[in-house]
Amino acid sequence: MSAWHGPTAGTPTPEARAAARVAEKNAVPVGMPSALWVLIAGFIGFAASFTLTVEKIDMLIDPHYQPSCNFNPILACGSVMGTQQASVFGFPNPLMGVVAFTIVIVTGVLSVGRVRLPRWYWSGLLAGLAMGVVFVHWLIFQSLYRINALCPYCMVVWSITIPLFVVVASITLRPLAGNPVARVLYQWRWPLVALWVTAVILAILVRFWYFWTTLI
């Protein structure tokens, strides 16, 4: 009887080893601080979006319901959630946040668990966040200059989406060590976030300065 000289059970074939090497090469390493930030940001964004969804449902059930985030004539979720801009695609905007931040949470959990995700995944997440950033800034403009009111929970989503986009961009582009844009973005990501958020805060202060001065 001739002996079997093929691969034994449990021994990866050359093709499997080659595929594993390709997958390892395409996987994007994520530092623990960045992984934790993605996870925490996902939870905060999800909590704000979910709360807004519940508040919207309560308003639909009871037209006289006053949302918990109605603090004054300017900081009032109810004034924002009742507008057309709050349901751009025919359903409440927060529902998109619930779905999007769920994906971010899963990504954060995997990254904290040291699971290396492929570059195409991070690129897709970055593209989604880029669209989210554009949408957020459109909402900021609408809130400041069309609706003339601010939704506190919405502002939580704004403040999370901007740094989340920058962090995910730095994660996605960091392996491209020879790319000067990637290197600068990673080194200056937090100053960039601080400058970006400061610009939004200044826009809010300037737009409603007449109201803020009455609170002093």
Side-chain angles (χ1 to χ4, degrees):
M1 179 180 292
S2 60
W4 167 252
H5 297 289
T8 59
T11 302
T13 63
E15 292 80 6
R17 288 195 294 268
R21 286 194 296 269
V22 171
E24 180 66 21
K25 182 179 179 180
N26 292 331
V28 177
V30 181
M32 186 55 66
S34 296
L36 286 172
W37 169 251
V38 171
L39 179 60
I40 294 171
F43 273 116
I44 295 175
F46 178 86
S49 299
F50 182 79
T51 302
L52 276 170
T53 301
V54 173
E55 295 280 14
K56 179 63 175 180
I57 293 173
D58 288 337
M59 288 181 62
L60 292 174
I61 295 175
D62 181 6
H64 302 291
Y65 175 77
Q66 292 297 317
S68 61
C69 46
N70 278 4
F71 299 112
N72 53 53
I74 299 300
L75 295 174
C77 291
S79 300
V80 176
M81 289 193 290
T83 64
Q84 293 181 344
Q85 292 92 328
S87 301
V88 176
F89 299 103
F91 55 85
N93 295 340
L95 289 176
M96 292 187 289
V98 170
V99 175
F101 286 113
T102 298
I103 296 174
V104 174
I105 290 174
V106 173
T107 304
V109 169
L110 293 174
S111 298
V112 170
R114 301 295 188 182
V115 176
R116 289 193 176 188
L117 299 168
R119 186 186 304 280
W120 63 261
Y121 179 89
W122 286 105
S123 298
L125 182 61
L126 180 60
L129 284 170
M131 290 187 287
V133 166
V134 173
F135 187 54
V136 158
H137 282 75
W138 180 80
L139 291 174
I140 292 174
F141 176 84
Q142 293 296 317
S143 295
L144 294 182
Y145 304 107
R146 297 294 182 267
I147 303 173
N148 298 314
L150 297 170
C151 167
Y153 291 138
C154 298
M155 290 192 291
V156 172
V157 175
W158 302 349
S159 63
I160 286 297
T161 302
I162 293 172
L164 186 60
F165 169 74
V166 175
V167 171
V168 171
S170 68
I171 292 173
T172 306
L173 300 177
R174 187 184 181 188
L176 305 176
N179 189 325
V181 175
R183 184 169 59 253
V184 170
L185 178 61
Y186 184 79
Q187 293 175 345
W188 293 90
R189 56 181 177 169
W190 293 118
L192 176 61
V193 168
L195 183 62
W196 199 337
V197 173
T198 299
V200 174
I201 292 174
L202 288 176
I204 293 173
L205 288 175
V206 171
R207 176 63 183 87
F208 298 110
W209 186 251
Y210 69 91
F211 177 77
W212 307 132
T213 54
T214 64
L215 303 179
I216 300 176

